[in-house]
Amino acid sequence: MTNEASGKILTDFDVKRKAAKLVVSHLKKKLPNEFIGSDRVNDWISEMEQLLGKKDFNMLEYIHMRRALNEVIEEIPDEEIRFKLRDSWYSLGKALDKKVKLK
């Protein structure tokens, strides 16, 4: 499948990266600025944004980051924030399962 705007042929990895970027963007918007453990979440977001900025796509790195997010979630005492983070964790898993849609 081609991206009509740029004429670039999209790969499964391009689709996965774009979906993961969207998950991180939504995660940043739905969390409050300060909460107990926000530094850990913000560190995870920074690492994930660095990974998303890489040119190559290594699925194992994304799986590692998803596991790391799960570890961060378990350290958050606020139940409401944990639920929001778990939604993002689940969405990230779905993002990593995405594939290019064939016509």
Side-chain angles (χ1 to χ4, degrees), residues 10-66:
L10 292 177
T11 66
D12 286 344
F13 295 134
D14 295 329
V15 172
K16 291 174 192 305
R17 179 183 287 122
K18 186 175 181 179
K21 257 186 192 176
L22 191 59
V23 169
V24 172
S25 173
H26 285 150
L27 173 63
K28 288 168 54 175
K29 289 178 186 174
K30 70 181 173 181
L31 291 177
N33 289 333
E34 291 294 322
F35 56 90
I36 297 173
S38 62
D39 55 335
R40 290 284 320 265
V41 174
N42 291 330
D43 289 347
W44 182 88
I45 289 171
S46 294
E47 283 183 54
M48 189 63 180
E49 287 176 332
Q50 288 176 357
L51 180 60
L52 289 165
K54 287 184 177 181
K55 185 176 180 179
D56 59 329
F57 186 95
N58 182 337
M59 186 66 162
L60 291 177
E61 290 178 308
Y62 283 82
I63 291 170
H64 171 74
M65 288 302 293
R66 186 168 183 249

Side-chain angles (χ1 to χ4, degrees), residues 75-102:
E75 296 176 7
I76 303 297
D78 187 311
E79 185 177 33
E80 183 180 332
I81 293 174
R82 273 198 322 269
F83 284 137
K84 289 179 181 182
L85 287 168
R86 281 196 185 106
D87 286 346
S88 294
W89 178 84
Y90 179 74
S91 296
L92 184 57
K94 290 185 75 138
L96 296 177
D97 287 340
K98 291 210 178 263
K99 296 186 187 287
V100 173
K101 291 182 183 178
L102 301 176

